[in-house]
Amino acid sequence: MLVLGIESSCDETAAAVLQDGRKLLSNVIASQIRIHEKYGGVVPEIASRKHVEVIVPVIREALEKAGVTLDVIDGVAVTRGPGLVGSLLVGLSMAKALALARNIPFVGVNHLEGHVASAFLAEEKPSFPFIALVVSGGHTNIYVVQDFDRMGLVGQTRDDAAGEAFDKAAKLLDIGYPGGVVIDRLAKSGNPGALSFPRSMKDSLEFSFSGVKTALLTYMKKRESPPSAREMPDIVASYQEAIVDVLVEKTLRAAEIHAIPQVAVVGGVAANSRLRARFQEDAGKKGVRVCIPPPVFCTDNAAMIAVVGHHALTRGRKDPFDLNALSRWPLDTL
Amino acid sequence: MKLISDSREQTLEIGRRIGNALAPGDIVALIGELGSGKTCLTQGMAKGLGVAENVPVVSPTFTLVNEYPGRVPLVHLDVYRLSGPRDLEDMGYEEYFYGGGVVVIEWAEKIRRILPERTLVIRMAYLDENTRELIIEGPPGTMAELEKRLESGGSNSWR
């Protein structure tokens, strides 16, 4: 079965062709980061307008790279939510048009379920059940994943998402956008133990990142002069370590509590090199297996949407043409 | 009205009392730098509006808007990532502004032009690690109600 996946929920316009649920024939991503850079974030109106401009070329390129034409595609999988409705509608309308024109089924996919399923694009694939940490600019969630469609939330953030904590810190330190990427790069030459930042909610699977953000603000206000370029790596490495510590510790604790010695780390922040290294290191010590997809499948992509779509389509699901985009769509309501 | 909060807990309590005083259709504009306590104050307001305790009120920076059912529904907007009122118009903000809930807007200075006159404006400032200053301005009716609710006593020494 050949599935065409389409993703347009936020920054990225993406398309992918997946064969038989496991063989990825192509994976094309057009990013709007440069456009959003000057605004310091996503601007919905610009986002949806850019999606409209690039969606056709992106799909065409995905088909070309896969060496196929639309005639042999068996079904379309598209992100239905959560996300910016204006952006989602661009992908959703395109999927409906293709399905209608080619008389093939299409299915609307939950973006978060897509991230969880991206674990199957890792070299080391998980098997059910497993614990999934979905960590991005908008989410910091721990799920117990029993199967596709069966994911229970066991931990989430009480305030900021981890990716947001990176973005806001980068803004505070005035070091650029996207914050996570800049911090990852700078932290490599810094000492993670140089400064001490708080690790909050130690005894729970819930997250809170507003405290570490405020601690950084306090540190900056107390300084007599702004940090020099030489000091910056130590500051961001220490700040990053506080966030990474909490993410690793709570995810491994969830694995222990639920007696599931297997974790998947997915979502944009899973591309962070320190987080990847620490997970490999700490999980190994506890005898827990870790699956982290390559960075290209951590940030938003359509391959992960095609993986979920493949499973829905093989079970005979076919969504109606009046399917709506959903700005909010918690995973436990699938 | 000017208040000084000495802790996160006090900011939550001030928020709760403000939430108690709010009515459907009220709009609250929050203005203040990163880390000045805007989300914390909103979490307090959610309590005062009767949003269930087990529902986490999280930062809407990424999602732009979060909605919570309560005694009065809470619409929590964050316009930090928007370039201005135009973007909010594209999001269909009227639906939120006139939808019968209480609307709390973080980084409201970015959209000042489209804020109704009846908006309750709360300016928050970081004084030190634990201390925040809150300056509240709004229509006389709402302010009188707030004065009453925010009268501090016992351990509530935020004046």
Side-chain angles (χ1 to χ4, degrees):
Chain A
M1 178 187 260
L2 282 180
V3 176
L4 171 67
I6 299 173
E7 153 71 33
S8 68
S9 64
C10 187
D11 265 2
E12 270 77 37
T13 320
V17 178
L18 182 74
Q19 186 174 21
D20 300 328
R22 53 184 58 208
K23 193 173 174 205
L24 191 62
L25 301 185
S26 66
N27 184 43
V28 177
I29 302 169
S31 175
Q32 307 190 7
I33 283 177
R34 283 188 178 285
I35 303 161
H36 297 312
E37 210 162 359
K38 65 175 177 168
Y39 298 104
V42 179
V43 184
E45 200 266 338
I46 296 179
S48 51
R49 197 170 38 188
K50 286 316 286 183
H51 285 303
V52 171
E53 280 172 24
V54 301
I55 194 153
V56 171
V58 163
I59 291 173
R60 192 167 282 153
E61 193 182 330
L63 292 170
E64 265 169 31
K65 282 201 168 150
V68 300
T69 62
L70 257 189
D71 302 335
V72 295
I73 297 292
D74 298 296
V76 183
V78 61
T79 308
R80 182 192 179 194
L84 306 169
V85 169
S87 299
L88 288 163
L89 282 174
V90 177
L92 191 58
S93 309
M94 178 55 73
K96 287 178 185 175
L98 292 174
L100 193 61
R102 304 306 312 166
N103 194 24
I104 51 176
F106 87 95
V107 287
V109 171
N110 184 301
H111 181 79
L112 294 170
E113 192 187 1
H115 274 302
V116 172
S118 73
F120 293 99
L121 296 164
E123 217 158 278
E124 183 101 343
K125 296 182 198 330
S127 56
F128 296 113
F130 60 90
I131 301 292
L133 170 69
V134 180
V135 59
S136 65
H139 300 94
T140 309
N141 295 343
I142 300 178
Y143 296 98
V144 173
V145 184
Q146 301 289 353
D147 199 345
F148 284 103
D149 293 358
R150 275 177 55 217
M151 310 187 180
L153 186 66
V154 294
Q156 63 184 315
T157 181
R158 308 298 303 192
D159 39 56
D160 293 356
E164 201 175 332
F166 281 122
D167 280 341
K168 288 185 175 170
K171 185 94 180 171
L172 271 173
L173 298 168
D174 198 19
I175 51 177
Y177 175 85
V181 177
V182 179
I183 287 176
D184 190 355
R185 194 179 59 224
L186 273 176
K188 281 183 180 151
S189 54
N191 170 10
L195 300 165
S196 161
F197 288 109
R199 277 75 167 154
S200 53
M201 308 195 77
K202 283 217 162 201
D203 300 313
S204 130
L205 292 181
E206 305 282 285
F207 296 94
S208 167
F209 294 109
S210 69
V212 68
K213 175 186 72 185
T214 305
L216 177 66
L217 179 66
T218 300
Y219 167 77
M220 291 296 283
K221 296 250 180 198
K222 280 188 180 159
R223 288 186 60 106
E224 314 226 308
S225 60
S228 67
R230 278 187 58 191
E231 289 172 285
M232 202 55 98
D234 279 353
I235 298 171
V236 299
S238 304
Y239 181 81
Q240 171 178 273
E241 201 68 5
I243 294 172
V244 166
D245 259 354
V246 173
L247 292 172
V248 173
E249 204 261 334
K250 287 183 194 286
T251 307
L252 293 180
R253 174 137 18 112
E256 197 177 321
I257 291 171
H258 293 273
I260 300 176
Q262 198 178 199
V263 302
V265 187
V266 299
V269 177
N272 179 283
S273 55
R274 182 67 184 160
L275 184 71
R276 300 171 79 90
R278 282 286 311 278
F279 257 111
Q280 297 295 357
E281 205 175 299
D282 292 26
K285 280 184 211 152
K286 295 201 162 186
V288 173
R289 210 173 142 242
V290 192
C291 313
I292 313 179
V296 65
F297 301 125
C298 292
T299 45
D300 291 351
N301 66 87
M304 65 185 197
I305 302 302
V307 171
V308 178
H310 172 86
H311 285 268
L313 289 161
T314 46
R315 276 172 302 183
R317 204 177 102 202
K318 191 179 170 193
D319 282 343
F321 281 101
D322 61 357
L323 193 78
N324 266 333
L326 299 173
S327 62
R328 283 173 64 81
W329 188 11
L331 255 191
D332 6 24
T333 59
L334 280 178
Chain B
M1 188 194 316
K2 180 171 146 184
L3 308 175
I4 302 289
S5 164
D6 291 330
S7 65
R8 198 186 137 72
E9 288 65 39
Q10 257 186 18
T11 304
L12 280 171
E13 177 61 18
I14 292 170
R16 192 182 66 81
R17 296 194 188 199
I18 296 173
N20 274 333
L22 295 172
D26 281 347
I27 293 178
V28 181
L30 299 182
I31 299 174
E33 64 184 327
L34 277 174
S36 59
K38 299 184 293 299
T39 299
C40 179
L41 188 74
T42 309
Q43 288 169 338
M45 285 192 265
K47 279 189 193 175
L49 289 166
V51 173
E53 294 277 339
N54 60 352
V55 176
V57 172
V58 299
S59 162
T61 303
F62 185 83
T63 50
L64 304 173
V65 56
N66 291 335
E67 293 175 70
Y68 303 93
R71 168 177 63 77
V72 181
L74 167 65
V75 177
H76 188 192
L77 273 164
D78 188 327
V79 297
Y80 179 66
R81 304 197 299 156
L82 304 188
S83 52
R86 256 301 298 283
D87 284 335
L88 204 62
E89 281 157 17
D90 288 327
M91 279 172 68
Y93 77 96
E94 292 97 338
E95 202 183 308
Y96 302 120
F97 274 31
Y98 307 103
V102 161
V103 183
V104 176
I105 309 162
E106 297 197 24
W107 300 95
E109 63 270 34
K110 287 192 147 185
I111 55 154
R112 195 166 289 160
R113 179 164 71 73
I114 57 172
L115 290 174
E117 220 165 283
R118 61 191 158 85
T119 303
L120 186 70
V121 179
I122 305 179
R123 278 167 221 282
M124 302 187 72
Y126 175 105
L127 299 186
D128 68 35
E129 192 161 359
N130 300 311
T131 320
R132 301 290 184 273
E133 178 190 75
L134 291 87
I135 296 174
I136 310 178
E137 288 170 321
T142 315
M143 291 308 290
E145 181 67 25
L146 278 182
E147 288 277 354
K148 227 168 39 194
R149 306 258 181 180
L150 283 168
E151 245 168 56
S152 60
S155 59
N156 299 311
S157 52
W158 51 61
R159 268 184 199 243

